[in-house]
Amino acid sequence: MAENEEPLLPPVYYDGCPGCEVEQWKDNNRRVPFGIFIHIWFITLCGALPISSLFPFLYFMIRDLHVAKRVEDIGFYAGFVGSSFMLGRALTSVFWGIIADRYGRKPVIIIGIIVVVIFNTLFGLSTSYTMAIVTRFLLGSLNGLLGPIKAYSVEVSRPEYQALGISLVSTAWGMGLVVGPSIGGALAQPADKFPNLFPKDSFLGRFPYFLPCLVISIFAAVVLGTCYWLPETLHKHHQSKPSSVITEGLEGSFHGTEVKIDLEEFEGNDAKNSNENLLMNWPLMSSVIVYCVFSLHDMAYTEIFPLWAESDRTYGGLGVSSQFVGEVLAISGFSLLAFQLFVYPPVEKLVGHINLFRAAALLAIPLNAAYPFIAKLSGPELSIMVNCASLMKTVFSTAIVTGLFILQNNAVAQHQRGAANGISMTGQSIFKAIGPAAGGAIFSWTQKRRNASFLPGNHMVFFILNVVEFVGLLMSFKPFLSYSPQKKR
């Protein structure tokens, strides 16, 4: 030890503080917390599954509710049902982030899962267009799960595992957004698919879209029962603190450094930092804005893909069933898990999460442009190309989301992560609310211009998606996107 170097002091923990108990556990257990990571994965899946599970059958649901006077108008009405969830989430995300910072991550997570169980089930029992919109709106507004679970995945991990923790959140979220539709496509309209098991006059015959909602709600109820063992990570100190401590650098790089903190100075700045206006934090806000643009694109695509696949070939679609769409999305979801576990970590380590998400955004542009040409195929070639395109699209979207997750959580300190993620959720929820409504309206409009000379029919749909993708790609560079240079590893 150098002569002028002060000896490192041991960490200080406080009795009765849940956050300190987690910190002490992390110091004593240097291995990857697989048990907690698996729990985080399932909780995130609970929040993601209901978001897009309706899209494979939404076309048929709107048709059966008899609100659209023409076939071309179905996409228009479907867009508002898809948007209602995100509109509700946009109105309350900051509120739930503040609650998570004040009372803890665990209560908000539990409330969110309870809301999924109740209102996702009620949506499956919708007998009118109004009931469908209201139940989806309440499902979004009362469920503040995603922001706290993103912060939780960082706080429960040692610095060297934080990138893995947040990667698991984005993986589970991405899988939920593709596995949810596979459940919806496979289990909706059981009386039509399995008439020997479910007669037309049976309960599931009268409520053809209840079964997929019920399955997701049962899964959420099982996960809810395990949340009793979920540790809280929020620090709640009730006694005076000593002058200095040594802590692990949770607020530093995701790859971890040991940081010495003068706690008196930290406490002096804590009040200032706690009152800091996050809207003035440009590294945070720039990453949130870029995330919002990609969220707009992703939700519009999520709305458009099933509508395009299930629409008749005379309208430029594939003319396939909701079950086929569900199978395509299921294959994409399980392939995504393999990508995130075995491909993403070494590639991210090699090129960095920022360069990786830029590359994904760039490659997604020619992929979007290829969709209208896929509709000209038939037979096995059609099935193979649709599955490949859906898989690549899902992988690219997840790489983008993971990189932006990391940027956002690196931009703020722990005590502000709940509020910061609330701001992020509000912004992206507004754009995600616009996405399905705009996507459905644009899809309906392009159905009426199939014979146009410039970008006829679905060519215009995917061209507009590419414009949004390109704007997001441009915004991912400096000077707009502000971030610290990534450290070489």
Side-chain angles (χ1 to χ4, degrees), residues 93-123:
S93 290
V94 172
F95 167 78
W96 287 117
I98 294 172
I99 294 297
D101 281 343
R102 181 168 298 179
Y103 299 104
R105 321 302 190 202
K106 184 175 179 179
V108 177
I109 291 171
I110 291 175
I111 292 172
I113 299 176
I114 293 173
V115 167
V116 169
V117 173
I118 296 173
F119 290 101
N120 187 60
T121 303
L122 291 176
F123 173 72

Side-chain angles (χ1 to χ4, degrees), residues 227-247:
C227 285
Y228 174 81
W229 293 277
L230 195 69
E232 178 59 72
T233 59
L234 187 68
H235 286 273
K236 299 178 181 179
H237 298 150
H238 302 291
Q239 62 188 88
S240 59
K241 300 180 182 180
S243 59
S244 63
V245 299
I246 298 298
T247 65

Side-chain angles (χ1 to χ4, degrees), residues 3-27:
E3 294 182 1
N4 296 329
E5 183 178 349
E6 296 182 6
L8 296 179
L9 299 177
V12 174
Y13 306 111
Y14 300 94
D15 294 335
C17 173
C20 283
E21 291 176 2
V22 171
E23 292 295 325
Q24 186 173 15
W25 180 87
K26 289 192 295 184
D27 280 349

